[in-house]
Amino acid sequence: MIRLSIFVLAVVVYIVYRIVRRRRHLRWARDGFDPAAYGMPPRERLDPARPGPPTPLEQRQRSQAVADAAWAGDWRPAAAYVAEPGDHWDERWSRLELLGAIAEEGDGWLSAWRSAEPGNCDAATLEAKLMVRRAWEVRGSGYRHEVGDDAINAFRELLPAAVEAARRAALLDPANPGPWVVIVTAARGAQFTPEQFQEAWDELVKRAWYHYEGHWQGMQYWCEKWFGSNKQMMAFAERAMDAAPPGSPLGGLYLHALAELESRRSIASTLAADRTKWRIENLAAQLRQVRPDDEHLPRLRHLLAHFAGEVEAYDVALEQFRAIGPWCGAYPWTEQEDPAAAFDLARALAVKRAKAEPPADELRPRKNAGAQQR
């Protein structure tokens, strides 16, 4: 009885200590935190409209030129644009995503491309990809009980045709993983069994083991709301992180898996595990090797800053906040009523709990730095 009383008292003391500490830190974050003194942009420069810096002007101009040509009926710039990266499959998929967005606004050029080059794998993959997207548009994004039977039936009729179109596209270029990314994406809605999914997955990774989008779609298949469980999803994400080569953002899939758990309020036990903090710290080391202009990096930094704070890896969180700069238009801040305020509070707490010292004056960001990027 005495031991139990001591244990209960210790728990109560710890809880009270955490509450008092949090209130003290919140008060300091509100009244005493000077972001510029710790190498971060001031509050008035925070931008909740985007997760990271805007796309470079030259890149935006080229994308617009491809779109304008397509909408004018000329598919050739789009074909050259998507083929240009060769076997850099992540970049090639990113460009195919752009072409998909262009086709959503008008796809007559895609039909012309398919007629002119029926053996072109990129065009066929894009067509299959659009079929998957349109099937999901029919279904909507709600859970099964929120979607009418007519929409579900139409969805399930459209997806097999999309999968078949992707399989035909795969025959046009056996080395191209794009069609298999489409199939892996369709697998959830098409009700693939785990065995069917594994067959498609093996075909994808045989061609591009480190494909970021392919892995993200694979993780979705194995999450609890589809055909797996929390355990299977986390194991899938951990394997991806462990296998990610230097310079790849693939390890960030682990953060997306944590976000999936958090969205369903199933994350407490995972955050409490010692291995989670170890993985967060190792992931920070992985992301240091990723190209600064990698399109996935900004959102991964936000996730890493957030979850590093959750597991008390405050030095890692602070490193990310300094690298993020003024951009705060990303999960988890955008889940809050005031994303900028949520972001500012999180970085203030990271500073306080990391016991950070202000950097030398010459290392502090200039007040007007980055203003021309807006």
Side-chain angles (χ1 to χ4, degrees), residues 11 15 28 34-35 53 74 78-79 90 110 128 183 199 207 209 224 229 304 322-323 345 353 355:
V11 170
I15 292 173
W28 178 85
D34 177 10
D74 187 358
D90 274 331
L110 177 56
I183 294 171
E199 289 176 5
R207 293 161 173 81
W209 205 101
E224 189 174 69
S229 63
L304 182 55
R322 283 176 169 156
L345 174 60
R353 292 171 178 173
K355 299 179 180 178

Side-chain angles (χ1 to χ4, degrees), residues 280-300:
I280 290 291
E281 291 172 340
N282 276 269
L283 187 52
Q286 284 190 13
L287 293 189
R288 291 184 198 113
Q289 301 181 64
V290 176
R291 280 191 352 258
D293 63 345
D294 187 284
E295 65 176 333
H296 303 292
L297 191 56
R299 293 186 185 279
L300 292 179

Side-chain angles (χ1 to χ4, degrees), residues 21 36 44 75 82 86 111 124 126 134 158 164 171 194 197 217-218 220 236 241 261 263 265 291 342 354 362 366:
R21 185 184 71 159
E44 60 268 21
W75 53 267
V82 74
S111 297
L126 180 56
R134 287 164 182 164
L158 289 168
E164 184 55 35
L171 299 176
F197 177 84
Q217 296 293 344
Q220 290 296 311
F236 182 88
M241 179 180 168
L261 290 181
S263 71
R265 300 180 181 179
R291 280 191 352 258
E362 63 270 17
R366 299 187 304 277

Side-chain angles (χ1 to χ4, degrees), residues 82-130:
V82 74
E84 187 176 70
D87 61 359
H88 294 278
W89 299 118
D90 274 331
E91 174 62 21
R92 195 154 174 165
W93 182 263
S94 177
R95 295 188 181 201
L96 199 74
E97 292 269 25
L98 174 63
L99 297 189
I102 293 171
E104 283 287 295
E105 300 296 323
D107 63 357
W109 62 274
L110 177 56
S111 297
W113 184 12
R114 290 288 288 128
S115 296
E117 294 189 339
N120 188 293
C121 181
D122 291 321
T125 300
L126 180 56
E127 184 177 61
K129 185 178 186 304
L130 286 173

Side-chain angles (χ1 to χ4, degrees), residues 6 11 15 29 43 61-62 80 86 100 121 153 203 219 268 314 332:
I6 292 174
V11 170
I15 292 173
R43 292 185 179 95
Q61 289 175 332
R62 187 177 183 198
C121 181
N153 291 336
E203 294 294 337
M219 185 198 78
Y314 299 120

Side-chain angles (χ1 to χ4, degrees), residues 219 233-234 237 252-262:
M219 185 198 78
M233 177 187 70
M234 292 307 301
L253 193 74
Y254 180 75
L255 299 170
H256 288 295
L258 292 180
E260 175 67 27
L261 290 181
E262 187 173 59

Side-chain angles (χ1 to χ4, degrees), residues 202-236:
D202 289 344
E203 294 294 337
L204 169 57
V205 297
K206 184 164 62 178
R207 293 161 173 81
W209 205 101
Y210 310 117
H211 200 287
Y212 190 96
E213 177 66 15
H215 275 79
W216 192 89
Q217 296 293 344
M219 185 198 78
Q220 290 296 311
Y221 179 88
W222 289 115
C223 76
E224 189 174 69
K225 65 188 177 187
W226 286 103
F227 293 95
S229 63
N230 291 342
K231 183 177 180 180
Q232 287 174 297
M233 177 187 70
M234 292 307 301
F236 182 88

